[in-house]
Amino acid sequence: MPDARADRDPSRGHRGAAADGVHEDGARLDGARVHGAHEDRGAAPAPAASEDTVRAREAYGARAAEYTERFGGIEAAAATDRRRVLEWARAVHGPVLDVGCGPGQWTAFLAEHGVEAAGIDPTPEFVAAARRLHPGMRYRLGHAESLAVADGALGGVLAWYSLIHIRPERIDDVLREFARALRPGGGLAIGFVEAPVGAAIDHAVTTAYAWPVPELSARVERAGFTVVSTERRTDPGARPHGSLTAMRGDRGDRGGRGGRGDRGQR
C-alpha cells in the first residue's frame, strides 16, 4: 500500500514523468496532427522514453488500480490547486496538453470548465483508466521528452506533479520540448515538491525529486520562458508544495533569459 502521507503530498492528483511513445494514429489537437503509430514518413522518429520515464511507468503500472481508486478524482486535489490551475488554463489561448495525466482527472476538470484539453501519460493502465472514467475525452500514450505534436501546436502545457520523477540533469531537455511544442506566448504550469535544496526524496511509488522554487524557475527561463508567478505552501499532512506558471517567449530560441524566477510570489 502507498504511504498515505507520501501520496497525500503534492503528488496527489498527478504523478510520474509522462511516457513511452506509442500514440493513436491520426489523433488531433486543435487541428494539428499528433504523430501516431504510423507517423509521417518525413517526420523524425520520436526519441525513446528516458530511463526515468520507463522506471516511473513500470512502477505506476503495477499500482495503477490502487492509485486511481485513491487519487483518480479531482476532489483529491487541493481546492487551492484547482483554482490556480483553472485560472491559468482559462487565460491560455489554444489547446492545453496535460502531460503525465494519470487517470485523467485534471484533463477532464479543465474540459468541464470549457478548456480544450487532452492528456498523455506513459502508463498504459492509466490511459485505459482515463478513457473509462472520462469517455469522450482524448487520452493517449506519450512522454514528456517527446510530445509528438508539431512545433507551436499547443496553447498550454500542464505538468502538475508529472515531472517529479525526472532527474534534475534531464529536466532541461523536457522544458525545451515544452517550449518547442508551445506557440509564442503559450503558457506552462508546473506543480512540484518544494524544498530549500534540490534533492531526491522518498516517494511511495518510486524515487522523486524536490526543487527550490528559484532553481526550477531559472531552469524554466533558460528554456525560453518568462516566469509569471510562483507559489509555495505547506498543507497539513503534506510535503511542501511549489508551483509556477510561465509564458513562452516570442522568439523560437531556446536560450536563457537570466531571470531570477521568483517574481510573482504568492
Side-chain angles (χ1 to χ4, degrees):
M1 296 293 291
D3 179 272
R5 187 172 57 184
D7 272 343
R8 237 196 83 64
D9 72 18
S11 59
R12 61 185 183 275
H14 239 59
R15 10 103 348 261
D20 186 35
V22 182
H23 312 295
E24 292 181 289
D25 189 31
R28 288 178 179 268
L29 188 60
D30 193 35
R33 189 180 192 281
V34 176
H35 297 311
H38 306 288
E39 296 188 3
D40 298 335
R41 294 195 178 189
S50 70
E51 179 183 342
D52 297 337
T53 291
V54 171
R55 182 172 60 249
R57 180 185 66 203
E58 292 174 352
Y60 279 101
R63 306 179 73 166
E66 175 189 11
Y67 183 95
T68 300
E69 181 179 357
R70 296 183 65 185
F71 305 111
I74 194 62
E75 64 278 359
T80 302
D81 292 343
R82 282 177 266 165
R83 288 192 296 270
R84 178 158 168 76
V85 169
L86 185 57
E87 179 183 5
W88 164 82
R90 281 176 164 165
V92 163
H93 300 288
V96 173
L97 186 62
D98 181 8
V99 177
C101 65
Q105 68 273 29
W106 280 105
T107 319
F109 172 72
L110 293 180
E112 287 166 5
H113 288 84
V115 177
E116 182 183 359
I120 66 171
D121 199 275
T123 307
E125 292 86 350
F126 276 150
V127 172
R131 290 172 174 169
R132 183 182 73 251
L133 294 170
H134 309 290
M137 293 296 302
R138 291 169 295 176
Y139 298 102
R140 61 180 173 86
L141 291 173
H143 60 89
E145 296 97 329
S146 179
L147 301 180
V149 298
D151 293 358
L154 302 176
V157 168
L158 176 65
W160 206 253
Y161 284 87
S162 59
L163 304 183
I164 62 172
H165 302 296
I166 300 264
R167 286 173 293 173
E169 57 267 31
R170 292 198 56 88
I171 202 74
D172 292 340
D173 292 339
V174 171
L175 295 173
R176 283 192 292 267
E177 171 65 1
F178 290 174
R180 180 201 65 78
L182 284 165
R183 60 189 59 173
L188 172 65
I190 304 177
F192 53 96
V193 183
E194 199 272 336
V197 178
I201 58 174
D202 290 335
H203 186 276
V205 179
T206 188
T207 301
Y209 300 88
W211 285 90
V213 169
E215 183 178 345
L216 185 55
S217 296
R219 296 286 194 102
V220 168
E221 295 218 339
R222 193 162 71 194
F225 293 88
T226 297
V227 172
V228 176
S229 70
T230 63
E231 174 204 23
R232 299 182 183 93
R233 75 170 192 273
T234 302
D235 295 334
R239 287 175 170 152
H241 159 84
S243 73
L244 65 84
T245 64
M247 180 181 295
R248 184 188 180 277
D250 291 336
R251 298 172 301 164
D253 65 274
R254 300 294 181 265
R257 292 170 176 251
R260 290 174 53 201
D262 56 359
R263 66 176 67 86
Q265 180 80 22
R266 296 185 178 183

mmCIF file of all heavy atoms in Angstrom, residues 160-202:
data_model
loop_
_atom_site.group_PDB
_atom_site.id
_atom_site.type_symbol
_atom_site.label_atom_id
_atom_site.label_comp_id
_atom_site.label_asym_id
_atom_site.label_seq_id
_atom_site.Cartn_x
_atom_site.Cartn_y
_atom_site.Cartn_z
ATOM 1 N N TRP A 160 1.470 18.969 -13.843
ATOM 2 C CA TRP A 160 1.170 19.085 -12.418
ATOM 3 C C TRP A 160 1.645 17.835 -11.684
ATOM 4 O O TRP A 160 1.020 16.803 -11.696
ATOM 5 C CB TRP A 160 -0.328 19.306 -12.216
ATOM 6 C CG TRP A 160 -0.627 20.033 -10.939
ATOM 7 C CD1 TRP A 160 -1.173 19.512 -9.792
ATOM 8 C CD2 TRP A 160 -0.387 21.421 -10.682
ATOM 9 N NE1 TRP A 160 -1.290 20.492 -8.838
ATOM 10 C CE2 TRP A 160 -0.814 21.678 -9.358
ATOM 11 C CE3 TRP A 160 0.154 22.469 -11.440
ATOM 12 C CZ2 TRP A 160 -0.712 22.948 -8.774
ATOM 13 C CZ3 TRP A 160 0.253 23.719 -10.868
ATOM 14 C CH2 TRP A 160 -0.177 23.948 -9.552
ATOM 15 N N TYR A 161 2.808 17.929 -11.092
ATOM 16 C CA TYR A 161 3.470 16.811 -10.427
ATOM 17 C C TYR A 161 3.847 15.689 -11.371
ATOM 18 O O TYR A 161 4.136 14.585 -10.947
ATOM 19 C CB TYR A 161 2.626 16.297 -9.253
ATOM 20 C CG TYR A 161 2.739 17.241 -8.086
ATOM 21 C CD1 TYR A 161 1.890 18.331 -7.974
ATOM 22 C CD2 TYR A 161 3.755 17.111 -7.159
ATOM 23 C CE1 TYR A 161 2.033 19.248 -6.958
ATOM 24 C CE2 TYR A 161 3.906 18.023 -6.148
ATOM 25 C CZ TYR A 161 3.049 19.092 -6.043
ATOM 26 O OH TYR A 161 3.203 19.997 -5.047
ATOM 27 N N SER A 162 3.890 15.951 -12.648
ATOM 28 C CA SER A 162 4.244 14.909 -13.607
ATOM 29 C C SER A 162 5.723 14.914 -13.963
ATOM 30 O O SER A 162 6.159 14.072 -14.737
ATOM 31 C CB SER A 162 3.405 15.057 -14.886
ATOM 32 O OG SER A 162 3.603 16.312 -15.484
ATOM 33 N N LEU A 163 6.501 15.831 -13.400
ATOM 34 C CA LEU A 163 7.944 15.848 -13.651
ATOM 35 C C LEU A 163 8.742 15.453 -12.420
ATOM 36 O O LEU A 163 9.975 15.492 -12.455
ATOM 37 C CB LEU A 163 8.379 17.254 -14.119
ATOM 38 C CG LEU A 163 7.668 17.817 -15.339
ATOM 39 C CD1 LEU A 163 8.271 19.171 -15.714
ATOM 40 C CD2 LEU A 163 7.712 16.864 -16.516
ATOM 41 N N ILE A 164 8.088 15.052 -11.355
ATOM 42 C CA ILE A 164 8.804 14.835 -10.093
ATOM 43 C C ILE A 164 9.731 13.622 -10.129
ATOM 44 O O ILE A 164 10.614 13.506 -9.269
ATOM 45 C CB ILE A 164 7.835 14.712 -8.896
ATOM 46 C CG1 ILE A 164 6.899 13.508 -9.046
ATOM 47 C CG2 ILE A 164 7.041 15.998 -8.723
ATOM 48 C CD1 ILE A 164 6.058 13.229 -7.792
ATOM 49 N N HIS A 165 9.543 12.727 -11.091
ATOM 50 C CA HIS A 165 10.417 11.559 -11.183
ATOM 51 C C HIS A 165 11.511 11.729 -12.236
ATOM 52 O O HIS A 165 12.254 10.776 -12.507
ATOM 53 C CB HIS A 165 9.592 10.308 -11.468
ATOM 54 C CG HIS A 165 8.540 10.042 -10.435
ATOM 55 N ND1 HIS A 165 8.843 9.751 -9.124
ATOM 56 C CD2 HIS A 165 7.175 10.063 -10.519
ATOM 57 C CE1 HIS A 165 7.716 9.583 -8.441
ATOM 58 N NE2 HIS A 165 6.700 9.777 -9.270
ATOM 59 N N ILE A 166 11.621 12.890 -12.832
ATOM 60 C CA ILE A 166 12.687 13.189 -13.799
ATOM 61 C C ILE A 166 13.902 13.707 -13.046
ATOM 62 O O ILE A 166 13.803 14.661 -12.272
ATOM 63 C CB ILE A 166 12.228 14.255 -14.808
ATOM 64 C CG1 ILE A 166 11.013 13.764 -15.581
ATOM 65 C CG2 ILE A 166 13.366 14.670 -15.719
ATOM 66 C CD1 ILE A 166 11.271 13.145 -16.902
ATOM 67 N N ARG A 167 15.045 13.100 -13.273
ATOM 68 C CA ARG A 167 16.268 13.559 -12.602
ATOM 69 C C ARG A 167 16.610 14.985 -13.020
ATOM 70 O O ARG A 167 16.370 15.378 -14.167
ATOM 71 C CB ARG A 167 17.420 12.625 -12.935
ATOM 72 C CG ARG A 167 17.352 11.278 -12.229
ATOM 73 C CD ARG A 167 18.432 10.359 -12.738
ATOM 74 N NE ARG A 167 18.197 9.995 -14.132
ATOM 75 C CZ ARG A 167 19.052 9.308 -14.883
ATOM 76 N NH1 ARG A 167 20.213 8.928 -14.383
ATOM 77 N NH2 ARG A 167 18.741 9.017 -16.132
ATOM 78 N N PRO A 168 17.173 15.773 -12.102
ATOM 79 C CA PRO A 168 17.486 17.170 -12.416
ATOM 80 C C PRO A 168 18.345 17.349 -13.661
ATOM 81 O O PRO A 168 18.163 18.318 -14.402
ATOM 82 C CB PRO A 168 18.228 17.647 -11.157
ATOM 83 C CG PRO A 168 17.663 16.807 -10.059
ATOM 84 C CD PRO A 168 17.428 15.446 -10.675
ATOM 85 N N GLU A 169 19.250 16.422 -13.935
ATOM 86 C CA GLU A 169 20.116 16.577 -15.098
ATOM 87 C C GLU A 169 19.368 16.381 -16.418
ATOM 88 O O GLU A 169 19.897 16.692 -17.489
ATOM 89 C CB GLU A 169 21.310 15.626 -15.039
ATOM 90 C CG GLU A 169 20.976 14.162 -14.916
ATOM 91 C CD GLU A 169 20.946 13.675 -13.473
ATOM 92 O OE1 GLU A 169 20.606 14.483 -12.575
ATOM 93 O OE2 GLU A 169 21.255 12.482 -13.252
ATOM 94 N N ARG A 170 18.121 15.894 -16.366
ATOM 95 C CA ARG A 170 17.338 15.687 -17.579
ATOM 96 C C ARG A 170 16.211 16.701 -17.736
ATOM 97 O O ARG A 170 15.539 16.730 -18.772
ATOM 98 C CB ARG A 170 16.752 14.271 -17.607
ATOM 99 C CG ARG A 170 17.797 13.174 -17.756
ATOM 100 C CD ARG A 170 17.167 11.871 -18.226
ATOM 101 N NE ARG A 170 16.424 12.049 -19.462
ATOM 102 C CZ ARG A 170 16.960 11.953 -20.681
ATOM 103 N NH1 ARG A 170 18.258 11.711 -20.814
ATOM 104 N NH2 ARG A 170 16.212 12.118 -21.758
ATOM 105 N N ILE A 171 15.989 17.528 -16.728
ATOM 106 C CA ILE A 171 14.827 18.409 -16.760
ATOM 107 C C ILE A 171 14.923 19.444 -17.873
ATOM 108 O O ILE A 171 13.907 19.845 -18.453
ATOM 109 C CB ILE A 171 14.624 19.084 -15.385
ATOM 110 C CG1 ILE A 171 13.157 19.553 -15.236
ATOM 111 C CG2 ILE A 171 15.579 20.231 -15.184
ATOM 112 C CD1 ILE A 171 12.182 18.457 -15.000
ATOM 113 N N ASP A 172 16.139 19.891 -18.212
ATOM 114 C CA ASP A 172 16.276 20.906 -19.264
ATOM 115 C C ASP A 172 15.767 20.394 -20.603
ATOM 116 O O ASP A 172 15.152 21.146 -21.376
ATOM 117 C CB ASP A 172 17.734 21.350 -19.389
ATOM 118 C CG ASP A 172 18.219 22.123 -18.175
ATOM 119 O OD1 ASP A 172 17.373 22.638 -17.417
ATOM 120 O OD2 ASP A 172 19.445 22.210 -17.982
ATOM 121 N N ASP A 173 16.020 19.123 -20.911
ATOM 122 C CA ASP A 173 15.545 18.549 -22.166
ATOM 123 C C ASP A 173 14.019 18.584 -22.234
ATOM 124 O O ASP A 173 13.435 18.889 -23.278
ATOM 125 C CB ASP A 173 16.025 17.101 -22.312
ATOM 126 C CG ASP A 173 17.526 16.995 -22.497
ATOM 127 O OD1 ASP A 173 18.146 18.000 -22.900
ATOM 128 O OD2 ASP A 173 18.079 15.912 -22.228
ATOM 129 N N VAL A 174 13.385 18.276 -21.123
ATOM 130 C CA VAL A 174 11.926 18.270 -21.079
ATOM 131 C C VAL A 174 11.380 19.683 -21.267
ATOM 132 O O VAL A 174 10.435 19.912 -22.033
ATOM 133 C CB VAL A 174 11.440 17.666 -19.747
ATOM 134 C CG1 VAL A 174 9.934 17.861 -19.578
ATOM 135 C CG2 VAL A 174 11.792 16.186 -19.670
ATOM 136 N N LEU A 175 11.969 20.648 -20.591
ATOM 137 C CA LEU A 175 11.488 22.028 -20.692
ATOM 138 C C LEU A 175 11.682 22.580 -22.100
ATOM 139 O O LEU A 175 10.829 23.325 -22.611
ATOM 140 C CB LEU A 175 12.202 22.902 -19.662
ATOM 141 C CG LEU A 175 11.906 22.539 -18.200
ATOM 142 C CD1 LEU A 175 12.799 23.343 -17.273
ATOM 143 C CD2 LEU A 175 10.431 22.756 -17.863
ATOM 144 N N ARG A 176 12.776 22.202 -22.747
ATOM 145 C CA ARG A 176 12.973 22.636 -24.138
ATOM 146 C C ARG A 176 11.926 22.014 -25.059
ATOM 147 O O ARG A 176 11.472 22.646 -26.015
ATOM 148 C CB ARG A 176 14.388 22.294 -24.609
ATOM 149 C CG ARG A 176 15.459 23.237 -24.070
ATOM 150 C CD ARG A 176 16.774 23.032 -24.790
ATOM 151 N NE ARG A 176 17.360 21.737 -24.491
ATOM 152 C CZ ARG A 176 18.234 21.527 -23.516
ATOM 153 N NH1 ARG A 176 18.632 22.539 -22.740
ATOM 154 N NH2 ARG A 176 18.738 20.322 -23.304
ATOM 155 N N GLU A 177 11.542 20.768 -24.791
ATOM 156 C CA GLU A 177 10.494 20.140 -25.580
ATOM 157 C C GLU A 177 9.161 20.858 -25.378
ATOM 158 O O GLU A 177 8.398 21.066 -26.334
ATOM 159 C CB GLU A 177 10.380 18.651 -25.211
ATOM 160 C CG GLU A 177 9.178 17.931 -25.796
ATOM 161 C CD GLU A 177 9.183 17.826 -27.320
ATOM 162 O OE1 GLU A 177 10.136 18.307 -27.972
ATOM 163 O OE2 GLU A 177 8.222 17.252 -27.866
ATOM 164 N N PHE A 178 8.873 21.263 -24.164
ATOM 165 C CA PHE A 178 7.657 22.035 -23.915
ATOM 166 C C PHE A 178 7.681 23.343 -24.710
ATOM 167 O O PHE A 178 6.680 23.725 -25.322
ATOM 168 C CB PHE A 178 7.506 22.340 -22.429
ATOM 169 C CG PHE A 178 7.192 21.161 -21.562
ATOM 170 C CD1 PHE A 178 7.161 21.290 -20.179
ATOM 171 C CD2 PHE A 178 6.913 19.908 -22.095
ATOM 172 C CE1 PHE A 178 6.862 20.219 -19.359
ATOM 173 C CE2 PHE A 178 6.622 18.815 -21.286
ATOM 174 C CZ PHE A 178 6.599 18.987 -19.902
ATOM 175 N N ALA A 179 8.829 24.028 -24.685
ATOM 176 C CA ALA A 179 8.946 25.292 -25.416
ATOM 177 C C ALA A 179 8.752 25.082 -26.916
ATOM 178 O O ALA A 179 8.118 25.903 -27.599
ATOM 179 C CB ALA A 179 10.302 25.940 -25.135
ATOM 180 N N ARG A 180 9.286 23.993 -27.445
ATOM 181 C CA ARG A 180 9.127 23.694 -28.875
ATOM 182 C C ARG A 180 7.663 23.525 -29.238
ATOM 183 O O ARG A 180 7.195 24.021 -30.270
ATOM 184 C CB ARG A 180 9.888 22.410 -29.214
ATOM 185 C CG ARG A 180 9.785 22.013 -30.695
ATOM 186 C CD ARG A 180 10.091 20.532 -30.913
ATOM 187 N NE ARG A 180 9.124 19.648 -30.282
ATOM 188 C CZ ARG A 180 7.919 19.385 -30.767
ATOM 189 N NH1 ARG A 180 7.494 19.971 -31.883
ATOM 190 N NH2 ARG A 180 7.100 18.558 -30.129
ATOM 191 N N ALA A 181 6.922 22.830 -28.399
ATOM 192 C CA ALA A 181 5.536 22.493 -28.713
ATOM 193 C C ALA A 181 4.576 23.651 -28.505
ATOM 194 O O ALA A 181 3.471 23.644 -29.064
ATOM 195 C CB ALA A 181 5.096 21.298 -27.859
ATOM 196 N N LEU A 182 4.957 24.638 -27.719
ATOM 197 C CA LEU A 182 4.078 25.763 -27.423
ATOM 198 C C LEU A 182 4.226 26.871 -28.459
ATOM 199 O O LEU A 182 5.336 27.163 -28.918
ATOM 200 C CB LEU A 182 4.395 26.333 -26.040
ATOM 201 C CG LEU A 182 3.877 25.523 -24.854
ATOM 202 C CD1 LEU A 182 4.557 25.985 -23.572
ATOM 203 C CD2 LEU A 182 2.368 25.654 -24.734
ATOM 204 N N ARG A 183 3.136 27.513 -28.785
ATOM 205 C CA ARG A 183 3.178 28.682 -29.659
ATOM 206 C C ARG A 183 3.763 29.865 -28.881
ATOM 207 O O ARG A 183 3.740 29.869 -27.633
ATOM 208 C CB ARG A 183 1.777 29.013 -30.154
ATOM 209 C CG ARG A 183 0.774 29.334 -29.058
ATOM 210 C CD ARG A 183 -0.639 29.442 -29.596
ATOM 211 N NE ARG A 183 -1.059 28.213 -30.245
ATOM 212 C CZ ARG A 183 -2.295 27.990 -30.684
ATOM 213 N NH1 ARG A 183 -3.229 28.918 -30.538
ATOM 214 N NH2 ARG A 183 -2.607 26.863 -31.277
ATOM 215 N N PRO A 184 4.311 30.861 -29.554
ATOM 216 C CA PRO A 184 4.794 32.050 -28.851
ATOM 217 C C PRO A 184 3.682 32.642 -27.972
ATOM 218 O O PRO A 184 2.538 32.779 -28.407
ATOM 219 C CB PRO A 184 5.170 33.005 -29.984
ATOM 220 C CG PRO A 184 5.524 32.094 -31.118
ATOM 221 C CD PRO A 184 4.568 30.937 -31.002
ATOM 222 N N GLY A 185 4.026 32.931 -26.735
ATOM 223 C CA GLY A 185 3.038 33.404 -25.783
ATOM 224 C C GLY A 185 2.269 32.300 -25.092
ATOM 225 O O GLY A 185 1.427 32.571 -24.225
ATOM 226 N N GLY A 186 2.540 31.028 -25.447
ATOM 227 C CA GLY A 186 1.867 29.898 -24.819
ATOM 228 C C GLY A 186 2.223 29.768 -23.352
ATOM 229 O O GLY A 186 3.254 30.262 -22.895
ATOM 230 N N GLY A 187 1.360 29.084 -22.601
ATOM 231 C CA GLY A 187 1.517 29.004 -21.155
ATOM 232 C C GLY A 187 1.991 27.651 -20.667
ATOM 233 O O GLY A 187 1.692 26.608 -21.255
ATOM 234 N N LEU A 188 2.729 27.675 -19.576
ATOM 235 C CA LEU A 188 3.229 26.474 -18.902
ATOM 236 C C LEU A 188 2.863 26.575 -17.431
ATOM 237 O O LEU A 188 3.040 27.633 -16.818
ATOM 238 C CB LEU A 188 4.744 26.373 -19.059
ATOM 239 C CG LEU A 188 5.468 25.276 -18.260
ATOM 240 C CD1 LEU A 188 5.044 23.886 -18.722
ATOM 241 C CD2 LEU A 188 6.988 25.437 -18.392
ATOM 242 N N ALA A 189 2.344 25.491 -16.858
ATOM 243 C CA ALA A 189 2.058 25.421 -15.423
ATOM 244 C C ALA A 189 2.665 24.134 -14.879
ATOM 245 O O ALA A 189 2.401 23.050 -15.413
ATOM 246 C CB ALA A 189 0.557 25.461 -15.154
ATOM 247 N N ILE A 190 3.464 24.258 -13.835
ATOM 248 C CA ILE A 190 4.150 23.120 -13.237
ATOM 249 C C ILE A 190 3.855 23.101 -11.739
ATOM 250 O O ILE A 190 3.988 24.121 -11.061
ATOM 251 C CB ILE A 190 5.681 23.194 -13.444
ATOM 252 C CG1 ILE A 190 6.027 23.319 -14.929
ATOM 253 C CG2 ILE A 190 6.371 21.968 -12.842
ATOM 254 C CD1 ILE A 190 7.524 23.472 -15.185
ATOM 255 N N GLY A 191 3.462 21.945 -11.231
ATOM 256 C CA GLY A 191 3.364 21.715 -9.794
ATOM 257 C C GLY A 191 4.429 20.718 -9.382
ATOM 258 O O GLY A 191 4.730 19.780 -10.128
ATOM 259 N N PHE A 192 5.012 20.895 -8.194
ATOM 260 C CA PHE A 192 6.143 20.056 -7.804
ATOM 261 C C PHE A 192 6.321 20.061 -6.293
ATOM 262 O O PHE A 192 5.703 20.863 -5.579
ATOM 263 C CB PHE A 192 7.425 20.548 -8.486
ATOM 264 C CG PHE A 192 7.724 22.019 -8.279
ATOM 265 C CD1 PHE A 192 8.579 22.445 -7.285
ATOM 266 C CD2 PHE A 192 7.135 22.975 -9.099
ATOM 267 C CE1 PHE A 192 8.849 23.796 -7.083
ATOM 268 C CE2 PHE A 192 7.391 24.329 -8.921
ATOM 269 C CZ PHE A 192 8.252 24.749 -7.911
ATOM 270 N N VAL A 193 7.149 19.151 -5.800
ATOM 271 C CA VAL A 193 7.535 19.128 -4.397
ATOM 272 C C VAL A 193 8.607 20.186 -4.188
ATOM 273 O O VAL A 193 9.616 20.197 -4.887
ATOM 274 C CB VAL A 193 8.057 17.744 -3.977
ATOM 275 C CG1 VAL A 193 8.395 17.732 -2.489
ATOM 276 C CG2 VAL A 193 7.045 16.650 -4.295
ATOM 277 N N GLU A 194 8.387 21.078 -3.224
ATOM 278 C CA GLU A 194 9.308 22.187 -2.994
ATOM 279 C C GLU A 194 10.242 21.855 -1.838
ATOM 280 O O GLU A 194 9.860 21.173 -0.885
ATOM 281 C CB GLU A 194 8.508 23.456 -2.692
ATOM 282 C CG GLU A 194 9.270 24.741 -2.868
ATOM 283 C CD GLU A 194 10.023 25.154 -1.615
ATOM 284 O OE1 GLU A 194 9.626 24.740 -0.507
ATOM 285 O OE2 GLU A 194 11.008 25.910 -1.744
ATOM 286 N N ALA A 195 11.470 22.315 -1.943
ATOM 287 C CA ALA A 195 12.461 22.113 -0.880
ATOM 288 C C ALA A 195 13.493 23.224 -0.956
ATOM 289 O O ALA A 195 13.731 23.783 -2.031
ATOM 290 C CB ALA A 195 13.150 20.753 -1.029
ATOM 291 N N PRO A 196 14.121 23.571 0.168
ATOM 292 C CA PRO A 196 15.145 24.619 0.146
ATOM 293 C C PRO A 196 16.339 24.263 -0.726
ATOM 294 O O PRO A 196 16.976 25.131 -1.310
ATOM 295 C CB PRO A 196 15.558 24.753 1.616
ATOM 296 C CG PRO A 196 14.435 24.160 2.388
ATOM 297 C CD PRO A 196 13.867 23.083 1.519
ATOM 298 N N VAL A 197 16.624 22.970 -0.826
ATOM 299 C CA VAL A 197 17.741 22.486 -1.632
ATOM 300 C C VAL A 197 17.234 21.327 -2.481
ATOM 301 O O VAL A 197 16.534 20.439 -1.984
ATOM 302 C CB VAL A 197 18.912 22.010 -0.740
ATOM 303 C CG1 VAL A 197 20.037 21.461 -1.603
ATOM 304 C CG2 VAL A 197 19.412 23.142 0.147
ATOM 305 N N GLY A 198 17.566 21.325 -3.771
ATOM 306 C CA GLY A 198 17.134 20.246 -4.635
ATOM 307 C C GLY A 198 17.746 18.918 -4.221
ATOM 308 O O GLY A 198 18.942 18.844 -3.945
ATOM 309 N N ALA A 199 16.913 17.879 -4.160
ATOM 310 C CA ALA A 199 17.412 16.573 -3.719
ATOM 311 C C ALA A 199 16.400 15.492 -4.042
ATOM 312 O O ALA A 199 15.207 15.763 -4.225
ATOM 313 C CB ALA A 199 17.686 16.594 -2.213
ATOM 314 N N ALA A 200 16.892 14.242 -4.115
ATOM 315 C CA ALA A 200 15.994 13.095 -4.224
ATOM 316 C C ALA A 200 15.259 12.919 -2.904
ATOM 317 O O ALA A 200 15.810 13.154 -1.824
ATOM 318 C CB ALA A 200 16.798 11.839 -4.564
ATOM 319 N N ILE A 201 14.004 12.519 -2.990
ATOM 320 C CA ILE A 201 13.188 12.310 -1.796
ATOM 321 C C ILE A 201 12.500 10.956 -1.890
ATOM 322 O O ILE A 201 12.292 10.417 -2.970
ATOM 323 C CB ILE A 201 12.131 13.423 -1.638
ATOM 324 C CG1 ILE A 201 11.223 13.498 -2.871
ATOM 325 C CG2 ILE A 201 12.792 14.772 -1.378
ATOM 326 C CD1 ILE A 201 10.060 14.465 -2.736
ATOM 327 N N ASP A 202 12.151 10.415 -0.726
ATOM 328 C CA ASP A 202 11.390 9.175 -0.701
ATOM 329 C C ASP A 202 9.986 9.429 -1.235
ATOM 330 O O ASP A 202 9.399 10.491 -1.010
ATOM 331 C CB ASP A 202 11.300 8.630 0.725
ATOM 332 C CG ASP A 202 12.634 8.102 1.226
ATOM 333 O OD1 ASP A 202 13.465 7.713 0.385
ATOM 334 O OD2 ASP A 202 12.836 8.090 2.462
#
